Amino acid sequence: MQAVSSLSNHDLRDEIKAYWSLRAETFDTQPGHEIFSEEERAAWHALFRKHLGEGKSRAALDLACGTAVISHLLDDLGFKVTGLDWAEPMLERARAKAVARGRNIRFLMGDAERTMEADDSYDVITNRHLVWTLVDPLSCFREWHRVLKPGGKLVIVDGDFVNTSRLTRLLKAATRFASRVGLARDAMHGAPNADMAETHNRILSRVHFSGGAHADAVADLLKEAGFSTVTIDQDMRAIHKAQRKNFSFFKGLERGTQHRYAICAEK
């Protein structure tokens, strides 16, 4: 497998695309990405119902959909879902998963920062763990505002993975130690090897939110992009509790101490 770090001729966006293309191979095997219990699925359903209500055949655009984990949750709730991603290996797995589950989800290859979708075309836009990777989030948020219908809602699920508390750092160190002695396999951001983990860190150091995608900073940019009501929801406890059963001991505790959030913004 070619290491992403060898792609020296690529700019940052190309490197991000290449990284997630390679991550597609193991994406659905990793807790925190795929869902491994009905308890976690119910917790995600509750989060989206809280901010979006039932789908009622409304049009939803799931940006950077990956293997379509969030797309399937929206489909469960009755939305008419389009999943968009720029990594073909992710989309291949997303399409196969939808066929296997008998889901009528539309998938497009495209760039979340330049969707090429029509003005006022979606009732709902969602994304998970996308915002921290953005090179120009303000421009991107303006694009999402353009694509939403008046009264439409955007839900962002993300986190600040840079500005960690002392407790989080201690638990992260404990996870690394457990990994070295063979008691954990999830110390590297879900990356399958050290090279990929290093690529993850290098990307994080160069994106717009290299200093951390704190919810307040994201919310301020959303308001600048034209969104009106912006709500920060940091109550992710039910999701983290369900996920903990599939993480190693210290990794599960660490996840619950991180600054993770959902932001709902209305056009």
Side-chain angles (χ1 to χ4, degrees):
M1 177 183 293
Q2 183 183 23
V4 180
S5 58
S6 69
L7 300 173
S8 57
N9 290 332
H10 285 202
D11 66 17
L12 177 55
R13 282 166 48 83
D14 290 327
E15 189 168 354
I16 293 169
K17 182 176 181 179
Y19 173 78
W20 288 110
S21 293
L22 291 176
R23 284 291 299 275
E25 184 177 341
T26 58
F27 192 86
D28 280 342
T29 68
Q30 296 161 353
H33 290 165
E34 182 56 280
I35 295 171
F36 292 97
S37 71
E38 290 308 309
E39 179 185 3
E40 182 183 352
R41 193 178 313 280
W44 281 108
H45 285 157
L47 178 72
F48 286 115
R49 280 196 181 98
K50 177 179 180 181
H51 295 291
L52 301 175
E54 297 293 340
K56 298 180 179 179
S57 297
R58 288 179 291 157
L61 177 63
D62 183 25
L63 293 170
C65 68
T67 63
V69 176
I70 302 303
S71 299
H72 279 262
L73 293 171
L74 296 173
D75 185 73
D76 291 343
L77 298 180
F79 287 94
K80 183 179 180 181
V81 184
T82 296
L84 183 146
D85 203 285
W86 65 354
E88 180 59 33
M90 287 287 192
L91 288 176
E92 289 174 0
R93 287 162 175 78
R95 294 184 185 107
K97 187 187 297 184
V99 169
R101 295 179 178 177
R103 302 300 186 93
N104 185 25
I105 300 174
R106 171 178 175 247
F107 293 104
L108 299 175
M109 176 174 282
D111 185 349
E113 298 191 34
R114 293 185 288 271
T115 67
M116 306 298 289
E117 294 293 89
D119 293 356
D120 306 333
S121 53
Y122 289 94
D123 300 286
V124 164
I125 294 177
T126 59
N127 57 79
R128 181 181 66 164
H129 303 166
L130 167 63
V131 166
W132 75 265
T133 72
L134 295 176
V135 176
D136 184 357
L138 179 57
S139 175
C140 194
F141 295 167
R142 286 172 173 155
E143 166 73 355
W144 301 352
H145 187 273
R146 178 189 69 79
V147 171
L148 271 176
K149 297 177 182 178
K153 290 184 176 181
L154 163 70
V155 172
I156 291 169
V157 178
D158 224 288
D160 181 348
F161 309 120
V162 177
N163 299 298
T164 53
S165 67
R166 178 177 296 181
L167 176 57
T168 301
R169 292 193 295 272
L170 286 171
L171 291 169
K172 189 180 293 288
T175 303
R176 288 196 297 267
F177 175 78
S179 179
R180 286 196 296 271
V181 298
L183 297 177
R185 297 182 179 179
D186 49 10
M188 298 187 295
H189 313 294
N193 56 59
D195 284 345
M196 292 289 282
E198 172 58 27
T199 299
H200 177 282
N201 290 333
R202 187 174 62 254
I203 289 171
L204 178 57
S205 72
R206 295 158 60 204
V207 294
H208 176 89
F209 289 114
S210 59
H214 195 280
D216 290 336
V218 176
D220 287 345
L221 285 178
L222 288 168
K223 293 171 186 175
E224 187 176 348
F227 286 93
S228 54
T229 304
V230 179
T231 304
I232 298 172
D233 183 357
Q234 296 186 60
D235 185 7
M236 309 287 284
R237 289 172 296 178
I239 293 170
H240 295 155
K241 179 182 176 183
Q243 290 176 339
R244 193 179 304 152
K245 298 174 183 178
N246 295 292
F247 283 116
S248 63
F249 177 73
F250 291 115
K251 189 69 172 180
L253 294 177
E254 174 197 334
R255 196 170 188 86
T257 67
Q258 293 173 329
H259 177 64
R260 292 176 178 266
Y261 51 81
I263 298 178
C264 181
E266 186 171 345
K267 178 173 177 177

